[in-house]
């Protein structure tokens, strides 16, 4: 007989990439996860995974089984959560991916009181600046700063996110302060590599204009971009939640080129076709109230 525990172990191992990580997420020992996986394979009469010392890969049978197995696990999780919600309780697993800096500075601190109030929610918060595939990697939702262009996702706005064009006072003293958009062409830019050199977009009466400075440095982490700007390496366009404190402390200066950077938002997105659970809706509502409008990190926004 096929047991749901084995199907859950299989899906978790595939989504997490290892037995160790699956065990951590399921709050089980590695040996228990391995045994459940082996029992499932015995019940099905075939191998689902190729195992080596370095990685796990799906067999042909495993690939064929995965999609339906994942749906079964999600349906059971949703059904369990729905029963709890009928009793007025938010409970069950919830997996969210978010960028490193925003997650550390604002998302985590906002979520901790919510989790204390709802202790039966089992949240896994994956903090990573890479772009994740929400559905195939098993996330219930992602939180992102800036546009989300994916027709497979339903997007909710959580908060406004003003961006600041900044450089260190030392850099501006050495290279001059740009006064217009055209002045930026001769300056050194520090860019967020997940967006590329077309990221500097400004609002004008004729619509958005993209300005391309000369890239002196590219990185995929906002904290490091801020620190590079503070070190005088160039000009950066950063969210207020990252650059704001350094501007207030005088380590960075905001640059006025006559037009404001294009408006952005903090978003939450979940896979299309899956009704969001009550706990996910509750998290989104809590974050909107906690962040505020304008958000607390940018009272001048």
């Amino acid at each position: 007989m096929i047991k749901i525990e084995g199907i859950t172990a299989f899906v978790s191992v595939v989504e997490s990439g290892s037995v160790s990580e699956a065990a951590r997420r399921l709050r089980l020992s590695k040996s228990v996860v391995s045994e459940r996986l082996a029992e499932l394979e015995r019940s099905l009469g075939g191998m689902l995974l190729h195992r080596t010392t370095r990685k796990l890969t799906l067999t042909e049978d495993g690939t064929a089984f995965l999609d339906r197995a994942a749906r079964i696990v999600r349906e059971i999780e949703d059904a369990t959560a729905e029963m709890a919600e009928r009793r007025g309780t938010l409970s069950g697993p919830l997996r969210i991916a978010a960028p490193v800096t925003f997650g550390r500075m604002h998302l985590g601190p906002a979520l901790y009181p919510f989790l204390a109030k709802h202790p039966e929610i089992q949240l896994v918060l994956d903090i990573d600046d890479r772009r994740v595939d929400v559905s195939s990697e098993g996330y219930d939702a992602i939180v992102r700063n800036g546009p989300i262009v994916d027709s497979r996702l339903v997007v909710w706005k959580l908060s406004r996110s003003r961006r600041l064009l900044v450089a260190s006072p030392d850099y501006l003293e050495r290279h001059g302060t740009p006064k217009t958009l055209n002045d930026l062409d001769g300056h050194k830019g520090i860019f967020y590599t997940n967006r590329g050199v077309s990221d500097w977009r400004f609002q004008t009466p004729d619509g958005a204009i993209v300005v391309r400075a000369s890239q002196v440095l590219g990185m995929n982490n906002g904290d490091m971009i801020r620190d590079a700007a503070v070190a005088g390496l160039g000009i950066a366009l950063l969210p207020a939640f990252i650059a704001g404190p350094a501007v207030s402390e005088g380590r960075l200066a905001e640059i006025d080129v006559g037009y404001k950077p294009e408006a952005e938002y903090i978003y939450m997105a979940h896979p299309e076709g899956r009704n969001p659970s009550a706990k996910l809706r509750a998290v989104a509502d809590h974050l909107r109230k906690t962040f505020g409008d304008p958000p607390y990190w940018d009272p001048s926004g």
Side-chain angles (χ1 to χ4, degrees), residues 135-212:
S135 299
S136 67
E137 297 186 46
Y139 291 102
D140 294 288
I142 58 172
V143 173
R144 284 291 178 265
N145 175 57
I148 298 176
V149 183
D150 189 333
S151 60
R152 301 170 300 170
L153 299 178
V154 177
V155 180
W156 299 337
K157 286 182 181 178
L158 297 180
S159 173
R160 284 185 286 168
S161 180
R162 190 168 68 99
R163 295 209 290 173
L164 311 178
L165 189 68
V166 295
S168 70
D170 174 67
Y171 174 89
L172 296 176
E173 183 177 346
R174 287 184 286 114
H175 297 278
T177 301
K179 303 294 185 183
T180 68
L181 292 178
N182 288 335
D183 291 345
L184 291 174
D185 290 342
H187 280 271
K188 299 176 180 180
I190 306 170
F191 290 91
Y192 185 52
T193 53
N194 285 0
R195 295 193 182 193
V197 295
S198 299
D199 185 39
W200 289 12
R201 298 172 63 88
F202 293 83
Q203 297 169 330
T204 76
D206 299 321
I209 290 180
V210 176
V211 177
R212 292 178 175 84

Side-chain angles (χ1 to χ4, degrees), residues 14-62:
V14 173
E15 290 180 347
S16 64
S18 72
V19 172
S20 297
E21 180 61 19
R24 185 184 69 81
R25 293 180 182 180
L26 295 173
R27 301 179 182 180
L28 299 170
S29 68
K30 288 172 57 178
S31 61
V32 169
V33 173
S34 295
E35 177 53 36
R36 288 182 179 181
L37 187 57
E39 183 179 3
L40 176 63
E41 289 178 324
R42 289 194 296 270
S43 298
L44 293 172
M47 288 183 60
L48 299 175
L49 293 166
H50 292 299
R51 299 164 177 79
T52 69
T53 55
R54 293 192 175 185
K55 65 178 181 178
L56 299 171
T57 57
L58 285 165
T59 64
E60 185 176 346
D61 286 343

Side-chain angles (χ1 to χ4, degrees), residues 7-292:
I7 297 175
T8 301
F10 168 65
V11 172
S12 185
V13 167
V14 173
E15 290 180 347
S16 64
S18 72
V19 172
S20 297
E21 180 61 19
R24 185 184 69 81
R25 293 180 182 180
L26 295 173
R27 301 179 182 180
L28 299 170
S29 68
K30 288 172 57 178
S31 61
V32 169
V33 173
S34 295
E35 177 53 36
R36 288 182 179 181
L37 187 57
E39 183 179 3
L40 176 63
E41 289 178 324
R42 289 194 296 270
S43 298
L44 293 172
M47 288 183 60
L48 299 175
L49 293 166
H50 292 299
R51 299 164 177 79
T52 69
T53 55
R54 293 192 175 185
K55 65 178 181 178
L56 299 171
T57 57
L58 285 165
T59 64
E60 185 176 346
D61 286 343
T63 301
F65 187 65
L66 177 61
D67 186 51
R68 290 185 179 181
R71 287 204 301 269
I72 289 170
V73 172
R74 302 290 176 252
E75 288 292 336
I76 291 175
E77 289 176 351
D78 290 346
T80 303
E82 184 176 333
M83 292 301 295
E85 289 158 13
R86 286 178 178 273
R87 299 191 298 271
T89 303
L90 297 178
S91 67
L94 188 62
R95 190 176 176 211
I96 297 175
V100 174
T101 302
F102 186 76
R104 178 181 59 80
M105 294 180 67
H106 302 287
L107 183 59
L111 285 173
Y112 303 149
F114 178 85
L115 295 173
K117 185 178 178 181
H118 303 284
E120 294 187 39
I121 291 179
Q122 300 146 22
L123 176 67
V124 172
L125 183 60
D126 284 346
I127 303 299
D128 199 318
D129 283 331
R130 70 181 179 88
R131 295 190 180 278
V132 302
D133 188 316
V134 183
S135 299
S136 67
E137 297 186 46
Y139 291 102
D140 294 288
I142 58 172
V143 173
R144 284 291 178 265
N145 175 57
I148 298 176
V149 183
D150 189 333
S151 60
R152 301 170 300 170
L153 299 178
V154 177
V155 180
W156 299 337
K157 286 182 181 178
L158 297 180
S159 173
R160 284 185 286 168
S161 180
R162 190 168 68 99
R163 295 209 290 173
L164 311 178
L165 189 68
V166 295
S168 70
D170 174 67
Y171 174 89
L172 296 176
E173 183 177 346
R174 287 184 286 114
H175 297 278
T177 301
K179 303 294 185 183
T180 68
L181 292 178
N182 288 335
D183 291 345
L184 291 174
D185 290 342
H187 280 271
K188 299 176 180 180
I190 306 170
F191 290 91
Y192 185 52
T193 53
N194 285 0
R195 295 193 182 193
V197 295
S198 299
D199 185 39
W200 289 12
R201 298 172 63 88
F202 293 83
Q203 297 169 330
T204 76
D206 299 321
I209 290 180
V210 176
V211 177
R212 292 178 175 84
S214 176
Q215 178 172 310
V216 66
L217 184 60
M219 291 185 284
N220 71 341
N221 178 265
D223 283 332
M224 294 184 70
I225 293 173
R226 177 204 56 216
D227 292 346
V230 169
L233 297 182
I235 296 175
L237 185 60
L238 286 167
F241 66 79
I242 296 177
V247 171
S248 299
E249 296 163 5
R251 294 183 295 139
L252 289 176
E254 186 174 359
I255 301 169
D256 183 1
V257 290
Y259 299 102
K260 293 182 178 180
E262 193 172 41
E264 290 196 345
Y265 293 87
I266 305 293
Y267 294 100
M268 175 178 282
H270 67 84
E272 186 180 39
R274 285 189 63 194
N275 292 328
S277 64
K279 59 180 174 288
L280 184 61
R281 294 193 299 270
V283 166
D285 289 342
H286 170 78
L287 292 177
R288 290 189 191 99
K289 293 175 183 177
T290 301
F291 295 156

